[in-house]
Amino acid sequence: MAGGAPERGREALRTHACGSCHVIPGLRGAVAWVGPPLTEWARRGYVAGRLPNTPENLVPWLVNPQAVSPGSAMPNLGVTEAEARDMAAYLYTLGAARAQAVPAGMPLAPGQAGPRDDARMRPREAAPVYGQGRPGG
Ligand code: HEC
């Protein structure tokens, strides 16, 4: 993402304690469920259910969520625009180009499911079968 540095962003996510409300992969201790998990962020459609998920929309949200969505449960946290750019750069590394790495048993992406109308899951054959193989494994 232009202008942002993912490593600085990770540090800014830590200092602003974003992990006290969110699950954020790669950030130690960021395991809270007050707000939505920020896993696979690059694949999300919307920011806070309001704006299409683009850097142009994510940065203002991080700086001033109450302006984007008045009354939202996410408070303004004093994030500067520079910090928000770095945070966004980090968040867009989550889930980027990893569509094929979704584990077995997870829903298929649109277009991968073929012509059937019903929802389909990834095949299980790649998953380990617990209780088989080595004793205790
Ligand atoms: C007090 C708890 C709290 C803190 C602290 C907090 N958030 Fe949130 N956050 C929320 C809640 C609740 C939502 C859902 C808001 C909504 O949809 O209106 C949210 C939504 C978001 C979203 C949009 C998620 C989605 O699925 O659309 C992002 C991105 C986000 N927060 C990032 C951050 C970052 C980065 C920080 C640290 C600067 C942070 N949050 C700190 C509670 C928090």
Side-chain angles (χ1 to χ4, degrees):
M1 172 189 172
E7 266 312 307
R8 275 204 315 259
R10 190 158 67 130
E11 184 59 18
L13 292 163
R14 195 181 64 73
T15 56
H16 285 272
C18 308
S20 63
C21 287
H22 292 284
V23 172
I24 306 174
L27 195 63
R28 189 181 299 270
V31 292
W33 290 84
V34 179
L38 304 183
T39 49
E40 305 279 318
W41 180 256
R43 301 173 67 192
R44 300 295 186 83
Y46 289 89
V47 177
R50 293 257 176 189
L51 302 169
N53 182 12
T54 64
E56 293 73 28
N57 289 332
L58 178 58
V59 168
W61 167 259
L62 298 177
V63 171
N64 192 346
Q66 292 299 315
V68 173
S69 183
S72 167
M74 176 154 154
N76 287 357
L77 292 158
V79 174
T80 67
E81 186 170 331
E83 287 170 330
R85 287 189 175 283
D86 291 340
M87 290 175 176
Y90 182 77
L91 292 175
Y92 284 116
T93 67
L94 304 176
R98 286 202 313 204
Q100 297 311 312
V102 176
M106 298 289 278
L108 290 160
Q112 292 185 329
R116 283 165 54 172
D117 288 335
D118 53 322
R120 286 166 64 198
M121 307 295 267
R122 266 163 218 284
R124 276 251 161 238
E125 57 261 17
V129 180
Y130 297 105
Q132 288 185 3
R134 285 188 296 152

